[in-house]
């Protein structure tokens, strides 16, 4: 015979409330994304342009550079991980501005006040990751059409999508933190969008780290983009190198947890209501 206590019932109520808050926010932001296809197309334009220009203008030169003249690595395969991570960055860059609008227009106090702040953040993040997933699929197909090969096949492509989603998580949190610090949508978009390029170029995205100047190698070693690119590149070029994949993925998950926790805390303070 099982005896249900008030504590058990309360815990179930809290869990159900949290799941409901996550789902409600996921659907809310998901509908906004569907109604605004320009957001999907707009954040795709830049990575697609980079993919085409780098391949058409620097393709042969970069192939020689990354393979050290042996011709064993084509630049299409080397570049594709960088574009996947770029999609994750640009897709997550404006996340904070939308939540900031909710706060500025009083939606937080009028509608979202009773909701769990972690549920709001997670629902928003899942909606952004859904858009990022669609974008990564498009980029992978384009890369394949341009000549990129996948050492791990279709299954590796699915894992790449997962890595891109995990990578996007920390930048969603970062974008929300910047938005709540600046309290200005324009400043948030400007800062998070401009940061994309230093993050990409000061990493292993476009050239092997060992070919870069010493100070860039140091920055690259602590740059989140390097961890995302290296994990993705292993799946495309090397194969199922689980030590490389899992070690880089662990760093990204750690960043997700840190930036997510800070963002949730700041959302609680921004709303003026401490909701558990």
């Amino acid at each position: 015979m099982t005896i249900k206590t008030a504590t058990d019932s309360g815990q179930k109520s809290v869990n159900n409330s949290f799941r409901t808050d996550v789902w409600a926010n996921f659907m809310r932001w998901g509908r906004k994304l569907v109604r605004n296809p320009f957001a999907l197309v707009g954040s795709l334009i830049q990575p697609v342009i980079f993919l085409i220009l780098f391949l058409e203008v620097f393709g042969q030169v970069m192939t020689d550079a990354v393979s050290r003249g042996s011709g064993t690595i084509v630049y299409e395969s080397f570049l594709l991980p960088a574009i996947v991570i770029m999609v994750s960055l640009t897709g997550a860059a404006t996340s904070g501005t939308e939540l900031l609008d909710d706060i500025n227009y009083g939606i937080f106090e009028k509608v979202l006040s009773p909701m769990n702040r972690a549920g709001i953040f997670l629902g928003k993040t899942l909606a952004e990751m859904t858009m990022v997933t669609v974008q990564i699929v498009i980029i992978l197909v384009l890369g394949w059409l341009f000549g990129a090969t996948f050492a791990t096949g279709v299954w590796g492509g699915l894992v790449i999508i997962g890595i891109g989603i995990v990578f996007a998580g920390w930048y969603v949190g970062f974008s929300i933190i910047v938005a709540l610090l600046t309290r200005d949508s324009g400043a948030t978009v400007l800062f998070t969008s401009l940061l994309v390029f230093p993050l990409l170029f000061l990493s292993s995205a476009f050239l092997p780290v060992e070919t870069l100047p010493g100070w860039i190698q140091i920055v690259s070693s602590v740059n989140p983009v390097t961890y995302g690119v290296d994990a993705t590149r292993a799946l495309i070029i090397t194969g199922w190198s689980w030590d490389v994949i899992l070690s880089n993925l662990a760093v990204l998950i750690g960043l997700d947890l840190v930036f997510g926790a800070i963002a949730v805390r700041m959302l609680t303070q921004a709303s003026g209501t401490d909701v558990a």
Side-chain angles (χ1 to χ4, degrees), residues 26 29 120-130 168-169 172-173 176:
F26 171 73
W29 292 109
I120 294 173
F121 171 76
L122 186 56
K124 170 64 173 170
T125 301
L126 290 175
E128 295 291 347
M129 289 179 174
T130 300
V172 170
I176 292 173

Side-chain angles (χ1 to χ4, degrees), residues 17-55:
S17 175
F18 176 74
R19 287 193 292 267
T20 300
D21 292 344
V22 171
W23 179 251
N25 281 277
F26 171 73
M27 292 301 294
R28 176 172 178 257
W29 292 109
R31 283 192 293 267
K32 285 190 175 185
L33 291 173
V34 171
R35 292 170 183 169
N36 184 20
F38 293 104
L40 174 66
V41 176
S43 55
L44 256 179
I45 289 175
Q46 192 177 61
V48 169
I49 290 175
F50 262 70
L51 177 65
I52 295 173
L53 288 181
F54 266 72
L55 291 181

Side-chain angles (χ1 to χ4, degrees), residues 17 111 120 139 149 160 172 192 204 211 248:
S17 175
V111 180
I120 294 173
I139 287 297
T149 57
I160 288 171
V172 170
T192 56
S204 61
T211 66
N248 285 289

Side-chain angles (χ1 to χ4, degrees), residues 107-191:
I107 296 177
F108 252 78
E109 296 300 329
K110 295 177 181 177
V111 180
L112 303 180
S113 180
M115 289 189 175
N116 185 295
R117 295 300 178 263
I120 294 173
F121 171 76
L122 186 56
K124 170 64 173 170
T125 301
L126 290 175
E128 295 291 347
M129 289 179 174
T130 300
M131 183 178 73
V132 167
T133 298
V134 175
Q135 294 171 321
I136 291 176
V137 170
I138 294 172
I139 287 297
L140 290 177
V141 172
L142 284 175
W144 175 72
L145 291 175
F146 274 105
T149 57
F150 295 78
T152 52
V154 175
W155 291 110
L158 294 176
V159 178
I160 288 171
I161 293 171
I163 293 172
I165 290 172
V166 172
F167 182 89
W170 80 269
Y171 211 61
V172 170
F174 177 76
S175 177
I176 292 173
I177 292 169
V178 172
L180 295 175
L181 286 174
T182 63
R183 291 303 180 97
D184 184 276
S185 297
T188 302
V189 172
L190 180 63
F191 183 77

Side-chain angles (χ1 to χ4, degrees), residues 183-222:
R183 291 303 180 97
D184 184 276
S185 297
T188 302
V189 172
L190 180 63
F191 183 77
T192 56
S193 298
L194 285 179
L195 192 60
V196 168
F197 292 103
L199 284 171
L200 285 167
F201 284 101
L202 299 178
S203 72
S204 61
F206 300 117
L207 283 171
V209 172
E210 59 270 17
T211 66
L212 301 173
W215 70 272
I216 295 183
Q217 293 185 34
I218 295 173
V219 174
S220 175
S221 66
V222 295

Side-chain angles (χ1 to χ4, degrees), residues 117 183 264-273:
R117 295 300 178 263
R183 291 303 180 97
V264 169
R265 180 62 181 169
M266 292 183 68
L267 279 173
T268 301
Q269 294 172 341
S271 68
T273 304

